[in-house]
Amino acid sequence: MNKQSGIHYLREHREAGSSNPVPAQVVRIRDTVVAGLGDLLQGAFDAVDDSLFELANNARSNNEQNRYFEAMREIRIKRKGVERHFQNAVAQLFANPPRSGTVAADESLASQTNSDSLSLVGDDDLEEQVALNAMITKSRVHFQGPLLQLQTRFSVVYPGASEDIPVNPMAPEHLCSAFVEAIQALEIQIRERLILLKQFDRYVVSNLGMLLDEANRILIQAGVIPNFRYHGKAGKQQDSSAPGTTAGQAPGETASAASEQQGHHEGAMFEQIRQMLAHQRANAGIPPRSSDPNVHVIGGAELASLLGALPQQPPGEQVSGNLSAGKPVMVDLYQVVQQLLAQTGNTSDGKKPALNEMDEDLINLVSMLFEFILDDYNLSAPVQVLISRLQIPILKVVIKDKTFFSKATHPARRLLNSLARAGIGWSESDEKTRDKLYEQIHAVVARILNEFDGDVTLFETLCEEFEQFLARENRKASLVEQRTRESERGRIKSQKAQETVDQLLQKKLARYKLQEPVRNILLNGWSRVMFLAYLRDDVEHRWPQTVRVVDDLIWCLHPHQDDEERDQWVRVVPGLLKSLRAGLEEVSYNSSKLDEMMSDLKHELTEAFRANALAEAMEDAPEPEPEDEDDDPISHQTAIQRQQELEDAAIAEYVAQIDAIEIGNWVEFNLVNGASFRCKLSAIIEEADSFVFVNRMGLKVIEKSRTDLAHEMRRGRLTVLEQGALIDRALDAVVGSLRSKAG
């Protein structure tokens, strides 16, 4: 296996590549990914240990059992070393990310592996390579969107990379090759290696989504192509507001062009808002300030200097101690500034001070921004209270640095977006005094109110610290959520298995009057075999066989007069008894009771064959009573179906909205008693039609079916919260409001 192209390339690349410094934007991603993959890998190794123990327990010979126990011992001894090797290999991928050109060459070389060269590859290596390729292909299809975005953003960040030579250290083929290289130290056979790969796929590769999303989020916060759009022409990906770069452009030029185009987009929106505000002034008959000889227009640095002396909160609204006290209060910023100008008196030239139109528009825009924030249902009320304290500090920032509305990466704007995004999952029911997130938001707001002196770098510092805090908290929550998700999947699948087995047996046994020993074997013994077979059916495919045993047993207890049927009975019974005993022994059924049960069963089968006991029992069974003609079950069934159809039609549109909710989206449930709580969709378990929601810490909060959720939404007790950046949503709302007023 160590001769495979992926591993061979990975080693050659590390040996040839120098220890390049990791770009600053990627350091956080590397640390998060290495830690996250390490935690996921631990779950995979735990599952491998369980699988090998189960195989050893069910082994058919001592040699086979010893083989599995030896593999368990080998993996346990070398597990820590493999985990370290894998994490180091992943970290190295970020230091020297493989170029797609070289990978393409490797793939081209692999594609030339025809029948002549395949003779050089062992069967075990080929089988492992097939499993590896299947794992990679599945993950690339499943995570196509996040992978495309991440590759595009990494190609902007890494020197020497471009659209023509993209890089992505988190590509599944690189991570899988790193793992296969790490397990070369394990001296185990192909079957155990395939089990290892299967659990790696199940626990690590299948859960790459949360790490890919986190990596994209970090790069977006760093301003790397924040508005991504995919254009499927020749496989190119572009920023929605940035034209594609040519092959001759350097990565730095690409990032610069993207940033410039994004700035143009934001600037155009700001200019559009200013024009609509100017149109409002013109309609109101307000003349330009510069045309009034009795007015001294104040703006720019002069206005910023005046605002510097303004308290961070206006008189009467200042809150000492706990900033979360009270309710969010909207400050009339325009009135505050007008009062400030009035206090300064006439200027040195004897003219009355007045704002210029540009600064007046900015003040009005900040007011409209906070009106939106304080009306935004997506923000929890306690977080709204805290953010409302920042109205005057943000006004000072905007007057001093007018790029706040035209630059998505402005530190103050990024901080507000981060605070809002973090607070979306904060519920009223959470304990403020003991909640780390709430304390952190409270501390950020307090530092701005106490320390902001006009230097915008304070917002940049606070933003970095807050995002680092969020990354740590999200990493912990992701691990808890992963365990919650796995636990719920296992519980729901077990519940589904038990319900299926019970319903099937009850349905089959209801048709026939079987003797108590037979019912006892099926309900108290064979049902366990069926339960395990249902759970493992995706791997072992034994479920149909266990159902066939039930059908064969019932058939053998029927009377058979025909010679051909009696001959078949003689052929079926020995294998049936053998299957029953083997299955019950497999589930560790009580050995003393097992012999007694099998003896009773043989007696029942013999009696059925010899005396047609089952036929006599069926004859003695009471005949079903004729149904009352007035009581027509068909009409009742039709009425029920008609009612169900009406109910389904009523919630059809809501079911479509439920299906539109994606994993990771936040929602709010409102209870009948008026209380509410917020949670995040963590998993959709299709086979059980179950939606599992977790809180910010990753713990399960509620589980409901698709239909139940549709009913909750119809009653107004379920609200899907918007996930977009706060300032962007606010600007869109402001534009919509101004357009409606103009209309």
Side-chain angles (χ1 to χ4, degrees):
M1 187 64 188
N2 57 0
K3 295 180 181 179
Q4 291 172 5
S5 60
I7 302 171
H8 183 63
Y9 164 73
L10 196 58
R11 285 176 173 165
E12 276 191 347
H13 178 78
R14 293 203 194 123
E15 292 168 2
S18 59
S19 181
N20 299 323
V22 180
Q25 302 95 321
V26 182
V27 172
R28 277 180 59 199
I29 297 177
R30 180 198 62 193
D31 295 341
T32 301
V33 169
V34 169
L37 288 176
D39 292 326
L40 293 175
L41 187 57
Q42 289 182 14
F45 271 119
D46 291 342
V48 169
D49 196 88
D50 293 340
S51 298
L52 291 175
F53 183 85
E54 186 175 347
L55 287 170
N57 194 38
N58 297 326
R60 300 177 182 177
S61 65
N62 289 336
N63 288 338
E64 186 179 7
Q65 188 177 63
N66 289 336
R67 168 183 167 179
Y68 291 128
F69 280 131
E70 284 298 322
M72 285 175 59
R73 180 175 178 274
E74 172 74 5
I75 292 174
R76 286 178 178 179
I77 291 173
K78 297 182 179 179
R79 170 176 171 173
K80 292 300 181 184
V82 171
E83 290 176 354
R84 283 195 300 270
H85 190 134
F86 174 67
Q87 288 182 293
N88 290 337
V90 172
Q92 196 64 24
L93 284 172
F94 283 92
N96 297 295
R99 298 295 193 264
S100 65
T102 311
V103 173
D106 284 337
E107 291 173 351
S108 175
L109 183 63
S111 67
Q112 297 171 10
T113 310
N114 52 27
S115 58
D116 296 330
S117 59
L118 277 176
S119 61
L120 301 176
V121 181
D123 291 339
D124 290 353
D125 286 347
L126 186 59
E127 192 174 355
E128 189 171 345
Q129 183 66 58
V130 169
L132 188 64
N133 290 341
M135 184 194 317
I136 293 170
T137 302
K138 183 186 71 173
S139 60
R140 290 193 68 84
V141 171
H142 189 67
F143 303 119
Q144 183 180 18
L147 284 170
L148 282 172
Q149 295 185 39
L150 203 52
Q151 176 176 281
T152 304
R153 292 187 173 108
F154 274 137
S155 300
V156 169
V157 171
Y158 277 97
S162 66
E163 285 187 355
D164 296 321
I165 311 177
V167 298
N168 186 1
M170 293 181 66
E173 58 267 28
H174 303 326
L175 299 179
C176 291
S177 295
F179 177 70
V180 174
E181 182 187 2
I183 64 174
Q184 296 303 307
L186 298 175
E187 297 179 5
I188 54 178
Q189 298 183 37
I190 182 61
R191 184 170 181 182
E192 290 77 21
R193 294 176 70 84
L194 292 177
I195 292 173
L196 200 53
L197 286 177
K198 178 183 176 181
Q199 299 300 351
F200 178 78
D201 181 20
R202 179 184 175 191
Y203 283 84
V204 180
V205 179
S206 296
N207 292 296
L208 276 180
M210 61 181 182
L211 294 176
L212 295 173
D213 292 342
E214 180 66 8
N216 273 309
R217 187 186 67 80
I218 292 173
L219 289 174
I220 289 172
Q221 288 180 345
V224 181
I225 315 184
N227 295 311
F228 179 91
R229 294 292 184 274
Y230 171 66
H231 303 282
K233 184 183 292 184
K236 300 293 184 181
Q237 305 90 27
Q238 300 177 4
D239 185 347
S240 63
S241 57
T245 58
T246 62
Q249 281 182 306
E253 294 171 349
T254 304
S256 175
S259 176
E260 183 179 354
Q261 289 295 329
Q262 175 66 15
H264 288 165
H265 173 75
E266 300 286 348
M269 176 177 285
F270 177 56
E271 188 59 34
Q272 182 184 10
I273 292 173
R274 286 197 61 217
Q275 288 176 4
M276 286 189 284
L277 291 173
H279 185 66
Q280 284 186 358
R281 282 194 296 271
N283 289 341
I286 301 175
R289 304 280 158 73
S290 56
S291 63
D292 190 342
N294 299 318
V295 169
H296 176 81
V297 178
I298 292 180
E302 188 176 3
L303 179 59
S305 177
L306 282 175
L307 290 177
L310 191 67
Q312 301 288 27
Q313 296 197 60
E317 298 295 343
Q318 297 186 41
V319 180
S320 59
N322 187 7
L323 295 172
S324 60
K327 296 181 178 180
V329 177
M330 187 64 205
V331 179
D332 188 343
L333 295 176
Y334 183 78
Q335 187 63 33
V336 168
V337 175
Q338 289 295 338
Q339 291 176 359
L340 184 64
L341 293 178
Q343 292 172 6
T344 61
N346 292 340
T347 58
S348 56
D349 54 8
K351 295 180 179 180
K352 182 181 178 181
L355 294 170
N356 65 31
E357 283 84 353
M358 174 70 167
D359 290 321
E360 183 176 312
D361 289 344
L362 287 172
I363 294 169
N364 288 331
L365 194 48
V366 172
S367 292
M368 286 186 282
L369 167 68
F370 275 93
E371 282 179 11
F372 173 83
I373 290 175
L374 299 185
D375 286 337
D376 186 13
Y377 184 79
N378 301 283
L379 279 176
S380 59
V383 176
Q384 280 182 328
V385 172
L386 292 177
I387 293 181
S388 70
R389 310 298 182 202
L390 299 179
Q391 294 176 70
I392 290 179
I394 293 298
L395 173 64
K396 294 179 179 179
V397 169
V398 170
I399 295 299
K400 187 169 185 178
D401 184 359
K402 295 176 173 57
T403 62
F404 177 89
F405 288 110
S406 60
K407 186 177 178 183
T409 57
H410 190 285
R413 179 167 171 170
R414 281 177 54 205
L415 180 60
L416 277 182
N417 281 333
S418 294
L419 295 175
R421 184 174 56 254
I424 192 173
W426 208 93
S427 299
E428 290 276 11
S429 57
D430 293 345
E431 290 286 341
K432 296 181 187 178
T433 55
R434 284 180 272 176
D435 187 275
K436 289 184 179 180
L437 174 61
Y438 188 84
E439 289 177 358
Q440 192 72 17
I441 297 176
H442 189 282
V444 168
V445 173
R447 285 190 61 184
I448 293 173
L449 296 180
N450 295 328
E451 300 177 21
F452 181 58
D453 58 0
D455 187 358
V456 182
T457 56
L458 174 64
F459 285 88
E460 189 167 358
T461 301
L462 292 174
C463 188
E464 291 293 332
E465 292 176 357
F466 187 69
E467 288 178 356
Q468 289 174 9
F469 165 81
L470 282 184
R472 291 192 301 270
E473 292 298 304
N474 289 338
R475 186 157 59 242
K476 296 176 188 174
S478 295
L479 295 176
V480 175
E481 183 179 348
Q482 170 63 21
R483 297 189 186 101
T484 301
R485 196 159 44 232
E486 290 297 327
S487 173
E488 285 302 304
R489 287 187 187 279
R491 183 188 64 80
I492 291 173
K493 190 170 183 180
S494 297
Q495 182 179 328
K496 177 73 173 177
Q498 193 63 59
E499 289 175 355
T500 303
V501 170
D502 291 344
Q503 290 173 4
L504 187 144
L505 288 177
Q506 293 296 339
K507 182 178 179 181
K508 290 183 180 295
L509 295 181
R511 299 176 184 174
Y512 310 103
K513 185 178 179 181
L514 301 180
Q515 297 300 321
E516 191 59 33
V518 179
R519 297 179 63 87
N520 186 38
I521 287 178
L522 292 177
L523 295 176
N524 299 325
W526 192 250
S527 61
R528 304 183 197 175
V529 180
M530 298 179 73
F531 174 78
L532 290 178
Y534 187 92
L535 289 179
R536 302 172 184 168
D537 190 55
D538 56 340
V539 177
E540 299 177 355
H541 310 296
R542 292 171 53 192
W543 168 249
Q545 298 174 20
T546 62
V547 177
R548 179 64 182 272
V549 167
V550 177
D551 293 334
D552 286 349
L553 178 58
I554 294 175
W555 182 85
C556 289
L557 290 168
H558 270 69
H560 299 290
Q561 304 294 336
D562 186 85
D563 290 342
E564 185 176 343
E565 288 185 349
R566 292 171 71 84
D567 290 342
Q568 184 179 354
W569 188 98
V570 173
R571 291 194 301 269
V572 169
V573 166
L576 175 62
L577 293 173
K578 183 178 179 181
S579 297
L580 282 167
R581 179 177 285 276
L584 293 171
E585 287 177 344
E586 184 179 355
V587 295
S588 302
Y589 195 80
N590 188 300
S591 58
S592 61
K593 288 185 179 180
L594 179 58
D595 291 336
E596 181 182 347
M597 287 174 60
M598 296 304 296
S599 176
D600 291 340
L601 180 59
K602 289 177 184 178
H603 175 74
E604 292 294 333
L605 288 167
T606 303
E607 289 298 314
F609 183 76
R610 187 165 52 200
N612 294 333
L614 185 60
E616 295 172 4
M618 294 292 289
E619 290 173 0
D620 294 338
E623 292 292 331
E625 296 181 3
E627 296 177 356
D628 190 348
E629 294 181 359
D630 296 333
D631 189 13
D632 186 2
I634 297 179
S635 63
H636 282 296
Q637 185 180 8
T638 305
I640 294 172
Q641 289 178 341
R642 189 160 51 248
Q643 180 63 31
Q644 186 62 45
E645 288 175 0
L646 292 173
E647 190 71 14
D648 292 343
I651 65 169
E653 61 175 298
Y654 299 101
V655 170
Q657 294 181 46
I658 296 301
D659 288 335
I661 303 177
E662 299 179 354
I663 301 293
N665 284 171
W666 285 90
V667 301
E668 182 175 73
F669 285 94
N670 295 293
L671 304 179
V672 179
N673 61 5
S676 64
F677 63 91
R678 297 185 173 202
C679 49
K680 180 176 66 173
L681 179 59
S682 177
I684 302 175
I685 305 173
E686 292 292 351
E687 57 266 29
D689 187 30
S690 179
F691 287 62
V692 179
F693 295 85
V694 299
N695 60 14
R696 285 190 301 105
M697 281 71 78
L699 299 172
K700 177 186 170 184
V701 174
I702 197 171
E703 167 199 339
K704 283 185 176 291
S705 68
R706 180 180 279 101
T707 303
D708 290 340
L709 289 173
H711 282 298
E712 292 290 331
M713 184 174 284
R714 182 188 177 195
R715 299 182 188 111
R717 296 208 293 256
L718 172 63
T719 305
V720 181
L721 303 175
E722 291 188 46
Q723 311 293 121
L726 175 68
I727 306 301
D728 296 343
R729 290 191 291 111
L731 288 177
D732 289 339
V734 167
V735 171
S737 175
L738 291 175
R739 281 176 179 167
S740 63
K741 289 179 181 177

